[in-house]
Amino acid sequence: MCGIVGYIGTKSAVPILVGGLKRLEYRGYDSAGLALVQGNGKMIVHKCKGRVADLEKLLEGKDSSATIGIAHTRWATHGEPNDCNAHPHISQSGRIALVHNGIIENYRILKEALKAQGYSFNSTTDSEVLVNLIEHIQKSNNCTLLEAVQQATKQVIGAYAVVIIDRENPNQLIAIRQSSPLVIGIGNDDYFISSDAASVIEYTHDFIYLNDGEIAIVGRNEPVRITTADNNSCRVDVSKLQLSISQLEKGGHAHFMLKEIFEQPNTLHDCIRGRIDKATYTPVLSGVRDNRKHFLDARRLIIVACGTSWHAALIGKHFIESFCRIPVEVDYASEFRYRNPIIEANDIVIAISQSGETADTLAAVELAHRCGAFVYGICNAVGSSIARATDSGTYIHVGPEIGVASTKAFTGQVTVLLLLALTIGRERGIVPEDRCKQIAKDLLGLPQVLDSALKQVTPEAKSLAKIFTYAHNFIYMGRGVNYPTALEGALKLKEISYIHAEGYPAAEMKHGPIALIDAEMPCVVIATPDSTYDKTVSNMEEIKSRGGKIVAVVAEGDNLAAEIADYVIVVPRVDECLMPIVASIPLQLLAYYIAVNKGRDVDKPRNLAKSVTVE
Ligand code: F6R
């Protein structure tokens, strides 16, 4: 949800800012812009509707000598995507400019008050209100920019990461963080401010992660200072981030999504590495070991997440309830945070988030803390807000996920949830040792299984995609752990192809949705072997007898479901716990190839952004 970059140093700012924006485009791509202060003290702003590529065109032939600047790629919250609403926004006098990620909730009141003071506005954004508020405070109190920023943060309500540039002080940037991510990269003789450290990883691996309520003064040739609205100085901690550029490139694939689908054998290898003792097939999660008492005493687990992470949570519920016999509730983070949830002593809240920045999930973590819960995080992005806000946790370690549709993060989350359930189940003496060892052994072999699954299902997914490219609706069905897999398959299809798709527990069909079935309604059924296989087969018969077209995902050696289905995708036969991971592969590929056939922008689907930092 909007990406911010700032630069101050000795190099030309433009290529650094534009390069950073390109890497941040997964956060929003409605419009892009930058502001520079040149050596002569002149503020230059270039911005336009569209992608960073459009901004690049706009910049062709323009002066790029400035060594300080701020830049932004937008996901619109207030005001339609157009040139005027694009960031940076400049104050009325033209002295200061800012870029903003987040929402100023009380912007209407502030705007009215500023209008009464003679301010007029060019855009319909909340961000333009903030820049004028800062200017107004500075002018009326005759104070420094920092003092004005400190006072302004006391007046605004909402979530924001902001970087401010002042044409009268070309040696300083000011950065503020409140519930939206912001990091400062430390170069040799320069600083890089960004919404995501990965965007500037070619310049530095050393980062300062700002905390909520912190204001950073990033000055040329001086150490970064961090303060608060009340002028209390804060500690400046520098962390190392290990990440390579190749992890941020497409590696020869047409899209990041395809690269990420095909990476899954490796990403799951990384996810599992060091977490299963290969001699004894014992799962070891340090987050559980270090907090053994919490997990032994737990009476209930509440998992909070959004989107794909919520689907992984539903699968995790099956694992935890069956291997640990602890009741598990799964809640949308956005519902949990406004529901006055009941959290009792010995409840554990688990937050799942790929980005670690989802505003609702972060707010749910904060609420759980206020209610006294022990909060465990399952994140991908190292050093992210949720990873830092939780008491302990497990990284899924699948590497940066750049395609907006989540793929490898989902399979990583399911894998970690399985390891978590087995580890807690063992500690509590619930999961039988031989069952635990068997699954652990199968998990170690999973990367190889995924490798064969990818080879096996890709041609099938491609040819099915040709048949169904022009379908208007899809139903996905499954039972047990395959129901959340169906939900995830439907989400993949709708978000990147814009085809309407719904996921249902197969038995629910006859309670209403079966009315939708006719020859025009493709039904994707996950009919892999488990305790409900026969029931799923009966549900398929019901669809078939109403003329529905069935695509069945079945395991090798299946002949019952395969015979009823019109089209079959065969996946390797694995333990039912691992099936959501294996069965997801053809669903990801089917969605991908349909979207490609429709000419969709697979990595940047309309209206979406990868990191949902506003609620
Ligand atoms: C779907 C997708 C989203 C995210 C959701 C939560 O493909 O990517 O539904 O899963 O926005 O994001 P995280 O996991 O970053 O909290």
Side-chain angles (χ1 to χ4, degrees), residues 403-480:
V404 163
S406 187
T407 51
K408 61 177 181 171
F410 174 70
T411 50
Q413 290 164 341
V414 174
T415 303
V416 162
L417 285 160
L418 181 53
L419 284 167
L420 185 82
L422 292 174
T423 313
I424 305 171
R426 258 192 102 246
E427 292 288 346
R428 292 171 73 111
I430 307 278
V431 58
E433 199 59 26
D434 51 346
R435 176 87 179 110
C436 183
K437 278 192 197 318
Q438 185 54 52
I439 301 172
K441 202 168 170 185
D442 289 355
L443 268 172
L444 286 171
L446 187 61
Q448 249 175 332
V449 172
L450 286 194
D451 207 34
S452 352
L454 279 160
K455 290 194 182 102
Q456 202 169 313
V457 303
T458 305
E460 208 56 57
K462 260 189 192 166
S463 69
L464 283 173
K466 278 194 196 133
I467 299 170
F468 291 114
T469 296
Y470 299 103
H472 293 291
N473 297 287
F474 262 86
I475 285 185
Y476 285 67
M477 277 179 270
R479 300 177 74 124

Side-chain angles (χ1 to χ4, degrees), residues 172-223:
Q172 188 185 77
L173 293 173
I174 293 186
I176 332 170
R177 177 200 155 121
Q178 181 60 51
S179 305
S180 292
L182 208 55
V183 299
I184 302 166
I186 306 171
N188 289 333
D189 45 14
D190 44 10
Y191 292 110
F192 307 82
I193 305 176
S194 181
S195 304
D196 177 352
S199 73
V200 291
I201 201 75
E202 56 244 77
Y203 305 106
T204 179
H205 288 262
D206 295 325
F207 291 95
I208 301 165
Y209 291 85
L210 288 186
N211 294 309
D212 280 351
E214 290 185 344
I215 302 170
I217 301 103
V218 186
R220 211 185 280 277
N221 302 324
E222 61 180 48

Side-chain angles (χ1 to χ4, degrees), residues 306-309 352-356 358 404-406 413 491-492 495 610 612:
C306 303
T308 289
S309 301
I352 307 181
S353 175
Q354 184 285 129
S355 62
T358 301
V404 163
S406 187
Q413 290 164 341
L491 178 62
K492 288 300 84 120
E495 67 185 328
K610 182 84 187 150
V612 186

